Amino acid sequence: MTSQRNLTAGRAWGLAAVSALMVAACGSGSAPQLPGHVSPAPAASASASSVPVPGASEPAGFEPAAVSFVSPSRGWVLGRSGCQDCAGLRLSGDGGDHWTVLPAPPAPLGYYSSSANAVTDVAFADAANGFLHGPGLLATHDGGRSWIRQPLPPVQALSVGTGHAYALTQTQPAGPAGLWRTIIGSSRWTRLALPPGAGPPPAGSGESYGTLLLSAEGGTVVLLRSGFTGPTVTPGQVGRLWASSDSGTDWQARPVPCTPPDGGGAAVISIALRHPDAWLLDCFNDEQSSQEQNTQHRLYGTIDAGLSWVRLPDPSRHNDPGLLADNGSGHAFLATEGGADTLVGTFDAGMHWQTLIRSGGSFSGWADLSFLNAGTGFVVGPTQYSPEHVYRTDDGGRTWHVLHL
């Protein structure tokens, strides 16, 4: 059930509680609004260099599409390198100031290829073990220097939790989905039982069958079936939500807080960093004025793993939702796609939201909006068809700079 707390109190309490920062819950009123902006890269980045390793060759140009860091210093970037759909991989051991060119992965880049083996994203669990995925799936156990193809159906999403990685597969857009789990460091996958109702709804049920979204933090795994985002939403079209607190073994259904008929459907969800019971969910209504082209984002938060929800201030009135992230300390971020792709954020428990990055893209996508700790985070935008950038923040998202590759 959605909590109907007083919204004024909810503004002071809401997002800080969602990210488990109870100090903010006891705060008195508005915090000063901190200007977020994209800053120039540090001087050290201006002289960034690439160091080839055995088996690798220097590509002719590199356009980043995805990023994964396992510490503030060590991370990988997947991108286009050398030809229209050639995938390339780079590694940094100093936070992005310098990059090593790794051997090209044995798969094309999915944004520019329709191959079933193509990959669009990268996710590392530690310095040795990582994955390239979407829709193909490759695993590495030597930091990206070699890759092993994994025998799974097409991968729609992959998320790394504590000790495990999870892959959501689906052969056809409206077909049955599968959820798989592997121990980090292994290439053996176990198929998990999906919660009842996660598959296509029965014909004539009135339910919409949206995209399944996957998120993991610690041993908590969340599955969201997105809802209908048109102008009029029925109760069966807001979406479905399930949670597991034991690494995907058992599931419990959770209420979706979106409110029909005009409150939109569930679009994106995030789990707060190191707070597995604290989630954010954006309900989106794509109804637009012919003149203003505004859209509706209605943000909700929970601190009890989806048992109850609190309505938070709306983060934006523009664009489609792309990615949502919470750094675990009261700062939250929503990447949006539209005529001008933007990243918006809040630093005062959700009372105010501001534009932080305009990526230069138009419906060109974002990737891998995530935080390693309360201060350090990354995002890629756009991911295709525009000048792509990897952005880094070290002050909790207030300022972002471009990493030069």
Side-chain angles (χ1 to χ4, degrees):
M1 177 179 294
T2 302
S3 174
Q4 298 298 324
R5 297 176 187 243
N6 179 273
L7 183 55
T8 302
R11 287 183 176 181
W13 173 86
L15 187 58
V18 167
S19 45
L21 184 63
M22 300 312 295
V23 173
C26 302
S28 55
S30 173
Q33 187 167 346
L34 298 169
H37 65 279
V38 179
S39 65
S45 295
S47 59
S49 62
S50 298
V51 182
V53 299
S57 59
E58 181 69 21
F62 186 83
E63 300 174 6
V67 63
S68 179
F69 272 71
V70 296
S71 71
S73 60
R74 193 169 190 83
W76 295 257
V77 171
L78 172 70
R80 183 166 68 164
S81 177
C83 75
Q84 176 66 24
D85 63 355
C86 293
L89 194 66
R90 293 190 173 189
L91 165 68
S92 177
D94 59 7
D97 287 339
H98 301 85
W99 295 89
T100 295
V101 180
L102 296 178
L109 190 64
Y111 289 114
Y112 307 97
S113 171
S114 59
S115 169
N117 295 324
V119 294
T120 56
D121 210 344
V122 57
F124 271 78
D126 54 39
N129 299 289
F131 305 91
L132 300 177
H133 61 95
L137 180 60
L138 302 171
T140 182
H141 305 300
D142 59 9
R145 285 168 172 78
S146 64
W147 295 90
I148 305 168
R149 192 167 304 282
Q150 306 296 286
L152 264 61
V155 173
Q156 306 303 312
L158 186 143
S159 189
V160 175
T162 301
H164 293 96
Y166 306 87
L168 187 65
T169 64
Q170 196 168 19
T171 303
Q172 299 177 351
L179 181 64
W180 305 77
R181 181 181 67 196
T182 187
I183 298 173
I184 299 299
S186 168
S187 289
R188 183 175 181 177
W189 293 83
T190 300
R191 187 162 188 169
L192 304 175
L194 284 170
S205 67
E207 288 191 53
S208 63
Y209 185 61
T211 302
L212 274 175
L213 306 175
L214 169 70
S215 187
E217 176 68 26
T220 294
V221 185
V222 173
L223 281 175
L224 173 69
R225 193 172 81 197
S226 62
F228 177 63
T229 58
T232 302
V233 177
T234 66
Q237 295 178 320
V238 297
R240 299 283 298 275
L241 181 63
W242 302 269
S244 171
S245 59
D246 57 6
S247 302
T249 301
D250 300 299
W251 295 93
Q252 298 80 39
R254 293 291 186 256
V256 172
C258 310
T259 56
D262 59 354
V268 289
I269 193 168
S270 70
I271 306 176
L273 179 67
R274 300 192 179 96
H275 298 289
D277 292 339
W279 312 340
L280 294 173
L281 188 148
D282 184 31
C283 300
F284 178 64
N285 184 333
D286 196 27
E287 182 179 17
Q288 300 182 15
S289 160
S290 60
Q291 294 181 340
E292 296 182 1
Q293 296 185 338
N294 287 342
T295 58
Q296 295 180 15
H297 296 264
R298 295 186 176 178
L299 189 67
Y300 293 83
T302 176
I303 57 169
D304 56 13
L307 292 173
S308 62
W309 296 86
V310 171
R311 172 81 182 272
L312 303 173
D314 299 342
S316 176
R317 293 187 300 163
H318 306 285
N319 290 1
D320 298 343
L323 301 171
L324 186 62
D326 182 338
N327 77 340
S329 295
H331 300 183
F333 307 87
L334 176 67
T336 71
E337 301 176 26
D341 297 347
T342 60
L343 177 72
V344 298
T346 179
F347 309 103
D348 55 8
M351 294 185 68
H352 302 90
W353 290 79
Q354 57 191 277
T355 298
L356 305 172
I357 299 174
R358 291 181 175 87
S359 73
S362 177
F363 292 101
S364 299
W366 298 87
D368 303 318
L369 174 61
S370 62
F371 280 78
L372 293 171
N373 52 48
T376 303
F378 301 88
V379 69
V380 175
T383 58
Q384 55 183 322
Y385 304 126
S386 294
E388 298 88 350
H389 300 105
V390 179
Y391 296 92
R392 173 176 178 141
T393 179
D394 290 293
D395 57 7
R398 293 183 177 92
T399 60
W400 298 78
H401 67 265
V402 174
L403 299 181
H404 295 289
L405 292 106

